[in-house]
Amino acid sequence: QKEVEQNSGPLSVPEGAIASLNCTYSDRGSQSFFWYRQYSGKSPELIMSIYSNGDKEDGRFTAQLNKASQYVSLLIRDSQPSDSATYLCAVKADRLAFGKGNQVVVIP
Amino acid sequence: DADVTQTPRNRITKTGKRIMLECSQTKGHDRMYWYRQDPGLGLRLIYYSFDVKDINKGEISDGYSVSRQAQAKFSLSLESAIPNQTALYFCATSGGRGEQFFGPGTRLTVL
């Protein structure tokens, strides 16, 4: 089982809609959870951190963590073309493990 | 100024050449990392260092070596470059809760 799994395939959303990304992880001892945004050819940029169960909101982004079910999600509200990027989920137990990412395409 | 810098940003070299990629940071972090990223394979950890005297291999260290010259500097070397080392290379530093901050990357092409 992979340490961090993100559902495959690009996600296409209309401008103004909500984009929803999910991530599952295997290590129940994981304590820190992060979402990164990566534009093509650029470096990953940290956009959200979450450490306890529940929701955390920052602007148009909401991260949701459910440790019992071992998943973390990211919602992007009012999606904009500038949100078109690959989103990486990262989970830290003894080390930080990254998922392979989900591409989001916002269609104007 | 950027907190994590990498030089060079782009490099084209030939098979068998020795290449050094450099990373500097002003974030004051002790922990530094080198990754490579290939299409479809995600980020893969090459080496990491928790302080100047502590260097550890990651999941794909073969063909690479590193040097931690100071808290702020961490260099990656390819002793004899080969074409399958063509990739995007990132340096990162780590904060107190495990979050990592990435440099802008080096695009390396080995012909």
Side-chain angles (χ1 to χ4, degrees):
Chain A
Q1 183 183 9
K2 296 179 181 177
E3 290 182 271
V4 180
E5 290 202 57
Q6 298 183 243
N7 47 326
S8 60
L11 177 65
S12 294
V13 295
E15 183 174 355
I18 296 175
S20 177
L21 303 171
N22 296 312
C23 171
T24 59
Y25 60 93
S26 60
D27 191 332
R28 285 194 171 274
S30 299
Q31 294 297 319
S32 304
F33 306 85
F34 309 99
W35 284 98
Y36 287 80
R37 177 178 63 200
Q38 186 177 23
Y39 294 114
S40 180
K42 304 297 184 181
S43 60
E45 174 193 8
L46 181 65
I47 57 172
M48 289 291 286
S49 306
I50 187 167
Y51 306 103
S52 56
N53 281 330
D55 295 359
K56 179 182 178 182
E57 185 174 316
D58 184 358
R60 295 185 295 108
F61 297 103
T62 299
Q64 299 173 318
L65 174 61
N66 183 322
K67 290 186 177 180
S69 300
Q70 295 177 244
Y71 82 79
V72 56
S73 62
L74 180 71
L75 301 178
I76 308 173
R77 292 184 303 281
D78 188 23
S79 295
Q80 301 298 308
S82 60
D83 295 325
S84 297
T86 296
Y87 291 80
L88 305 176
C89 174
V91 175
K92 185 179 184 301
D94 59 340
R95 67 177 187 87
L96 190 63
F98 287 87
K100 291 187 177 181
N102 273 125
Q103 185 182 8
V104 173
V105 178
V106 180
I107 302 167
Chain B
D1 289 342
D3 294 321
V4 184
T5 58
Q6 293 183 235
T7 56
R9 296 293 311 278
N10 290 280
R11 181 72 183 267
I12 300 173
T13 191
K14 294 181 178 181
T15 298
K17 294 293 187 181
R18 184 179 188 274
I19 298 297
M20 179 179 285
L21 309 183
E22 299 185 334
C23 177
S24 295
Q25 53 110 350
T26 58
K27 298 185 77 68
H29 291 161
D30 288 324
R31 300 186 177 197
M32 298 186 72
Y33 307 80
W34 275 105
Y35 292 90
R36 66 176 281 176
Q37 189 175 43
D38 301 89
L41 296 179
L43 286 165
R44 292 186 290 169
L45 183 62
I46 305 172
Y47 270 96
Y48 61 102
S49 171
F50 286 171
D51 64 41
V52 175
K53 296 183 179 180
D54 179 47
I55 292 177
N56 305 279
K57 293 182 177 180
E59 55 186 300
I60 54 160
S61 60
D62 287 349
Y64 302 94
S65 63
V66 291
S67 174
R68 184 82 183 267
Q69 301 94 325
Q71 186 209 32
K73 296 184 181 294
F74 192 34
S75 300
L76 176 72
S77 293
L78 288 67
E79 298 300 327
S80 180
I82 56 177
N84 76 359
Q85 291 177 313
T86 293
L88 192 52
Y89 289 85
F90 292 110
C91 173
T93 71
S94 180
R97 300 196 73 168
E99 70 274 28
Q100 291 187 10
F101 302 92
F102 287 80
T106 295
R107 184 169 297 281
L108 177 66
T109 302
V110 183
L111 301 176

